[in-house]
Amino acid sequence: MTRSITLRRPDDWHLHLRDGAMLEGVIGDTSRTFARAIIMPNLVPPVVTTADAEAYRGRILAALPQGHHFQPLMTLYLTEHTSPDDVARGKESGLITAVKLYPAGATTNSHGGVRDLAKAMPVLERMAEIGLPLCVHGEVTDPEVDIFDREAVFIERVLEPLRHRLPELKITMEHVTTADGVDYIRNAAKNLAGSITTHHLIINRNAILVGGIRPHYYCLPVAKRESHRLALRKAATSGSPRFFLGTDSAPHVDPLKECACGCAGIYTSINTMNCLAHVFEEEGALEQLEAFASLNGPAWYGLPANEERITLVRRDQPVEFPAKIETGAGPVTVFDPMFPLYWEID
Ligand code: NCD
Ligand code: ZN
């Protein structure tokens, strides 16, 4: 049995750090392990301009624990009024790594997102020209569409026409949750990749709904049936350069999760690599973990892989994680994979 594995230091290609006391409470769980992360812009108010992104980056760096080396890769929240020139300046200056498309109403703090993609076309055209990737939350918001079908319908109604219209635009389909998404990414000719979260490799929709409603397993896109989870595992462990880690770790304080209308989001920053080593070991693919967590993401975003290494060691006894972390904003429940974790970062 493999007892240890060394890989390049990983990056997280989709992360919610929030702001203020929450940012201070969670950032160490990422910066302890990850060298870089793509930072989601869905703050209240959202990070819309390069000036917003620059200020937010400053707050992130100021919140970093002493001695941690971590590079936040900033994104802009696409609106129907986003200025193509501002976006181009952001890319030019090296501040902006990607622009994020939230269909309005699709998820947490997305009401300022895009209702009519035609209105964002000038920005998207400029991005295609200058090689700035678009990260998409790939779900339609049409109330007629069942929540479990929203990703598949997004591919058909939004993504396919957009890729046809702008074949040079590089698109990351974020937090893919379905076999449909995996197949679509795998079969695309070019300019399409997908990130996969830790939790979607571990839970299916039963985790949310069987034996009582379990809000700490609720996130968006919502976990699907088992066959989709298995397709995601196959994609993540395949070594294909099209798939990489984006945890979508999304902290909400417990009172906002445990109520009549709870927020979507699962907090995995603290135990992601432990969970992933477990999953990749189960799949007999530990040798592919480095591609998924440390190599494919930077290659897609045109960045060098990290030079530093981390070693994961398999312990004889389970590694304990707190059930909750305390932040200045309140307690945040940590993702419970529902099996003991034996892998630990040395
Ligand atoms: C995210 C959040 O809370 O900001 N929630 C989630 O369930 N993933 C938003 C998102 O990425 O959809
Ligand atoms: Zn997210």
Side-chain angles (χ1 to χ4, degrees):
M1 193 199 286
T2 310
R3 310 295 307 189
S4 99
I5 171 173
T6 295
L7 33 136
R8 284 174 189 261
R9 198 168 163 210
D11 304 301
D12 183 351
W13 301 94
H14 179 129
L15 176 67
H16 299 270
L17 280 180
R18 315 301 190 201
D19 214 340
M22 181 64 95
L23 166 63
E24 280 174 24
V26 300
I27 187 167
D29 285 344
T30 289
S31 57
R32 197 175 303 122
T33 302
F34 297 91
R36 297 169 290 198
I38 284 212
I39 310 300
M40 286 298 119
N42 63 331
L43 304 182
V44 188
V47 179
V48 172
T49 65
T50 54
D52 297 339
E54 190 157 21
Y56 184 31
R57 182 171 179 276
R59 299 197 296 280
I60 293 169
L61 293 176
L64 265 185
Q66 280 265 318
H68 283 206
H69 300 282
F70 173 73
Q71 191 186 356
L73 303 173
M74 307 310 292
T75 60
L76 295 177
Y77 183 110
L78 183 65
T79 72
E80 295 178 0
H81 312 286
T82 296
S83 142
D85 289 341
D86 186 54
V87 168
R89 270 195 301 275
K91 145 107 181 154
E92 188 68 21
S93 71
L95 176 71
I96 301 301
T97 301
V99 173
K100 173 77 187 237
L101 165 64
Y102 289 103
T107 188
T108 312
N109 303 333
S110 62
H111 44 270
V114 176
R115 250 161 256 281
D116 177 4
L117 200 57
K119 297 205 172 114
M121 216 33 89
V123 181
L124 298 173
E125 281 163 2
R126 181 73 77 85
M127 288 166 59
E129 250 171 67
I130 63 178
L132 183 61
L134 178 72
C135 293
V136 301
H137 182 110
E139 291 192 287
V140 293
T141 55
D142 181 347
E144 306 271 292
V145 177
D146 189 278
I147 189 161
F148 292 101
D149 298 332
R150 287 180 175 193
E151 183 171 296
V153 174
F154 180 89
I155 294 171
E156 180 192 312
R157 288 195 196 162
V158 183
L159 196 50
E160 177 64 17
L162 176 61
R163 292 186 54 243
H164 205 256
R165 165 111 193 243
L166 290 176
E168 295 311 318
L169 180 63
K170 243 178 129 162
I171 301 178
T172 311
M173 199 177 158
E174 300 205 280
H175 40 51
V176 183
T177 59
T178 58
D180 313 62
V182 162
D183 289 345
Y184 185 72
I185 292 164
R186 205 186 268 122
N187 295 326
K190 61 169 187 176
N191 286 337
L192 186 66
S195 67
I196 300 178
T197 75
T198 310
H199 49 278
H200 287 115
L201 295 171
I202 294 173
I203 59 165
N204 62 30
R205 62 197 191 179
N206 285 10
I208 313 164
L209 297 170
V210 171
I213 187 155
R214 297 178 200 277
H216 296 294
Y217 293 112
Y218 173 61
C219 67
L220 287 170
V222 71
K224 310 298 192 295
R225 65 168 63 240
E226 178 65 359
S227 54
H228 293 294
R229 185 185 74 102
L230 297 178
L232 295 172
R233 279 195 168 215
K234 236 176 131 190
T237 58
S238 68
S240 160
R242 296 255 168 129
F243 299 101
F244 45 81
L245 173 64
T247 65
D248 194 12
S249 184
H252 293 279
V253 294
D254 283 350
L256 293 179
K257 293 283 294 174
E258 300 166 3
C259 56
C261 183
C263 293
I266 297 180
Y267 187 66
T268 56
S269 291
I270 195 171
N271 57 6
T272 273
M273 292 310 295
N274 316 73
C275 288
L276 288 177
H278 182 105
V279 166
F280 278 65
E281 180 182 46
E282 266 183 356
E283 295 293 321
L286 268 176
E287 75 288 352
Q288 300 294 0
L289 180 56
E290 185 177 42
F292 181 67
S294 316
L295 300 176
N296 297 347
W300 169 251
Y301 283 101
L303 296 167
N306 298 308
E307 284 305 327
E308 227 179 307
R309 266 53 177 187
I310 63 163
T311 297
L312 286 150
V313 180
R314 195 182 201 291
R315 306 288 184 205
D316 293 327
Q317 298 300 319
V319 184
E320 299 299 334
F321 287 93
K324 297 173 193 299
I325 58 161
E326 291 301 329
T327 76
V332 173
T333 292
V334 168
F335 175 62
D336 173 4
M338 297 179 280
F339 47 70
L341 290 167
Y342 289 93
W343 287 92
E344 185 173 40
I345 298 175
D346 204 12

